Amino acid sequence: MKNLVTYDNFLTNEDFNKLTSLKIDNVKETSTKVYHNSISSNGVINNSLIDNELLKKLHSNYHSKAIEILKNIAPKKVDLYDYSEFMIIKSGKNYKFPIHDDTPNKLLSGVIYLYPEKNTGTLFYSDKKGSDRELIDWKPNRAVFFSRIERKTWHSFEGDGKSDRIVLVYNLVAKNLKKVFKVEGTNFIIGYLRYKLNPYIYRIFKKTI
């Protein structure tokens, strides 16, 4: 995928260690648990697992870098930014998330693999049927970023059948979806209805500040 970038050792050792030491509830092997944490451009915080101090530190340490990534792969979306998500997601060893292209409010979608040492990374495809499968291998503290495009940035993730999968999902997010669709050159009404009528993705990942 053209607008896909990866970074090893994305987080500092200190930040990585703090995130991997967070106490996370157990999940069933076919379930997932999402901890929503977000901080807006003017400092408004919503959090469920990451405390205020750490959330502010993550925002301070990585916001400029994330904006720079967005400038490089989708420069027209930079001015649409409103807030950042730092979601901790724990998935059971046999959990599978279906192929999707992300919600349109995500300007930059990112995932940083936390632990265990080995698991399955992120899968990307050329269409919703799963053609041209490409795997970004799992490696602790490896970050994968892309900017979603309606019906083009198809991807999924799943457990390896051996261990639970814990990641930090780091997204730059917009509130004005009309502007997002305009920048993408796609139809707002069709895209918005598709977004709202997909209850699974909407229910799991929709969170505004």
Side-chain angles (χ1 to χ4, degrees), residues 8-201:
D8 286 347
N9 302 312
F10 181 79
L11 303 170
T12 65
N13 288 336
E14 182 181 358
D15 293 339
F16 180 78
N17 290 335
K18 285 184 177 180
L19 289 170
T20 55
S21 66
L22 293 172
K23 294 183 178 179
I24 304 175
D25 294 338
N26 292 328
V27 294
K28 295 180 180 179
E29 62 182 42
T30 57
S31 299
T32 189
K33 174 72 174 178
V34 180
Y35 294 90
H36 291 279
N37 307 275
S38 58
I39 181 168
S40 72
S41 55
N42 59 2
V44 177
I45 286 175
N46 265 328
N47 55 346
S48 61
L49 180 66
I50 302 175
D51 63 38
N52 288 8
E53 182 180 351
L54 180 54
L55 190 58
K56 289 178 181 178
K57 186 178 180 183
L58 293 173
H59 183 62
S60 175
N61 286 351
Y62 307 107
H63 180 70
S64 295
K65 188 171 185 176
I67 288 291
E68 190 63 29
I69 294 169
L70 184 60
K71 281 182 180 178
N72 289 333
I73 62 178
K76 293 181 179 179
K77 290 187 176 182
V78 173
D79 291 338
L80 305 182
Y81 169 78
D82 287 306
Y83 66 97
S84 299
E85 292 180 325
F86 293 90
M87 298 188 292
I88 299 293
I89 301 181
K90 182 175 184 178
S91 306
K93 63 181 182 180
N94 293 319
Y95 179 81
K96 293 184 178 183
F97 197 89
I99 298 174
H100 62 292
D101 58 349
D102 263 0
T103 53
N105 58 334
K106 296 181 184 179
L107 305 173
L108 182 70
S109 298
V111 59
I112 298 96
Y113 307 137
L114 296 180
Y115 60 94
E117 189 68 26
K118 295 181 179 180
N119 212 294
T120 304
T122 310
L123 296 156
F124 291 90
Y125 314 89
S126 61
D127 57 42
K128 194 175 182 180
K129 295 179 180 179
S131 303
D132 303 315
R133 181 180 182 270
E134 177 185 0
L135 171 65
I136 305 299
D137 289 329
W138 178 279
K139 181 181 180 181
N141 208 8
R142 171 172 287 167
V144 182
F145 289 98
F146 65 95
S147 182
R148 60 87 64 191
I149 301 173
E150 186 78 359
R151 295 184 180 275
K152 289 186 178 181
T153 47
W154 300 105
H155 61 287
S156 68
F157 66 87
E158 59 188 51
D160 64 355
K162 298 176 181 179
S163 305
D164 293 340
R165 183 181 187 277
I166 297 87
V167 303
L168 170 68
V169 168
Y170 179 22
N171 301 321
L172 301 184
V173 189
K175 292 182 179 180
N176 193 324
L177 297 186
K178 283 187 178 180
K179 289 185 177 180
V180 173
F181 282 107
K182 183 177 181 180
V183 164
E184 287 188 0
T186 52
N187 186 283
F188 168 71
I189 294 176
I190 294 174
Y192 184 72
L193 286 175
R194 177 172 171 263
Y195 168 51
K196 294 286 285 187
L197 294 175
N198 190 329
Y200 190 69
I201 294 175

